[in-house]
Amino acid sequence: MASGAHSRTAAVLLQGDAPARDRVRGEPKLYVFAISHYCEKACWALDRLDVDYRIVATAPGLHLRLAKKLGARRSSLPILVVDGRCIQGSSEILDWAEALPSSHGAPLTPE
């Protein structure tokens, strides 16, 4: 991958519906708002650690139903769905990414 290139691919979710297959194993999917500091924080962390994922943008309002379908505890974004697991919130996504073997213990946040 070229320096500065991103590993993310983009999709747009218009209806706020998350297919049931999103909760099964496969490529990680990051559900975001198009403009959100918290969502960008999660994207930057995954990019920094070279995690391949698919980004799915949804509109405010439509995300309420989406979060519920994904099994999230709250209605906020970002939500990362990976290996059938729903990880909600940018800080929780950073913690998950830092724990990956591929991160080599590189911290994303200060102690």
Side-chain angles (χ1 to χ4, degrees):
M1 182 178 299
S3 177
H6 295 286
S7 58
R8 53 178 137 161
T9 57
V12 177
L13 188 64
L14 297 176
Q15 299 303 316
D17 291 327
R21 69 180 179 271
D22 285 354
R23 301 256 359 240
V24 299
R25 297 191 183 280
E27 178 184 41
K29 290 187 179 129
L30 182 64
Y31 293 88
V32 300
F33 292 125
I35 300 174
S36 163
H37 295 88
Y38 297 105
C39 294
E40 272 303 302
K41 175 181 170 183
C43 290
W44 290 340
L46 297 175
D47 291 345
R48 173 73 174 93
L49 295 177
D50 291 325
V51 175
D52 288 327
Y53 63 99
R54 182 173 176 212
I55 191 165
V56 182
T58 190
L62 297 178
H63 76 288
L64 300 171
R65 196 164 129 202
L66 170 69
K68 186 174 181 178
K69 283 188 173 198
L70 291 172
R73 292 173 283 131
R74 302 176 310 275
S75 62
S76 60
L77 296 182
I79 296 172
L80 179 69
V81 176
V82 59
D83 293 333
R85 185 173 162 207
C86 179
I87 304 165
Q88 187 173 31
S90 57
S91 295
E92 290 80 3
I93 292 169
L94 266 69
D95 291 344
W96 173 85
E98 285 180 327
L100 292 173
S102 61
S103 75
H104 304 291
L108 293 169
T109 55
E111 296 283 327

